Amino acid sequence: MTGRLNERCGIVTGAGSGIGAATARRLRQDGARVLTADMRGEVDLLLDVTARDAGKTLTEATMARFGRLDFVVPCAGVSAFCPLAGHSDDYFEQVMAVNVTAVFRLIRDAAPHLCASPAGRIVTIGSVASAFGDAGLVAYGTSKHAVLGMTRALAGELGPHGVTANCVMPGAIDTPMTAPAFAAMPEYRTHWERKAALGRLGRPEDIADVIAFLLSDDARFVTGQEWMVDGGAMTRM
Ligand code: NAD
């Protein structure tokens, strides 16, 4: 398969479902060689990204399989609505462990290889909750603000090595993550459909296509940026 990511090699976590699965599919269509990981689903490596050595395991598996590592896309994430009173220490720490610490460890462990690549790329997955807040999202919003901050710092630190780092910030996307909330609160689904200027929820492919662009040569001079992909929802009052 040839395409604009021809022979680029990298890692997509959270690839067993939703945005990560759509991203792995799209990158392969573009000619990339992708090591997929998740705790469930049809992936190359079944693992818990919060394991202390997960970043090292993923990096070593990619080098062993492909001999190079050009990009990382850490899509594995957790989210649920939870009032502040329900934010136990364990809940807060688990959200931070998956959404922040695991992202950090993977990028840190992959960084030497990304720096050795002629076109190293990092695309993190933030959220509209990287820029705005809402009730029930204290832990999640904290984690997604952190991911955006991490991405900006990485852009500064790794830019001199030719590595770009960008943060894609989805709005409401129709995936297994949002399905329980939309099923329990149909009015919440309608709210997001109406709020989006484009009048619908996002699809995983809407996000995957932007990630593919950011990994491509077309985005070679773009780094440290936030890419809100929400159908225009957050542009409206
Ligand atoms: P999803 O639930 O469909 O997929 C997330 C995947 O992450 C799952 O397959 C899950 O098994 C995996 N995962 C979770 N914890 C893990 C762990 N400890 N180890 C390994 N894998 C783990 O959700 P999605 O909507 O595709 O979400 C992907 C990313 O997009 C997440 O970071 C999420 O926060 C972000 N996001 C989603 C939306 C949305 O509306 N769906 C909006 C903004 C941001």
Side-chain angles (χ1 to χ4, degrees), residues 17 19 38-40 48-49 75 140 144 171 173 175 177-178:
S17 175
I19 293 168
D38 202 302
M39 343 172 37
R40 61 189 168 92
D48 182 342
V49 294
C75 278
Y140 186 72
K144 291 302 184 181
I173 312 298
T175 72
M177 179 178 277
T178 47

Side-chain angles (χ1 to χ4, degrees), residues 67-133:
R68 58 189 277 190
L69 174 46
D70 305 295
F71 63 82
V72 290
V73 186
C75 278
V78 288
S79 169
F81 282 96
C82 180
L84 183 59
H87 273 57
S88 64
D89 287 357
D90 283 352
Y91 174 78
F92 187 84
E93 283 164 13
Q94 177 63 13
V95 172
M96 297 299 283
V98 181
N99 292 2
V100 183
T101 310
V103 173
F104 154 72
R105 287 193 186 127
L106 172 58
I107 293 169
R108 179 198 58 195
D109 294 343
H113 302 291
L114 299 176
C115 292
S117 162
R121 296 276 193 276
I122 297 163
V123 177
T124 58
I125 312 299
S127 163
V128 290
S130 297
F132 298 94

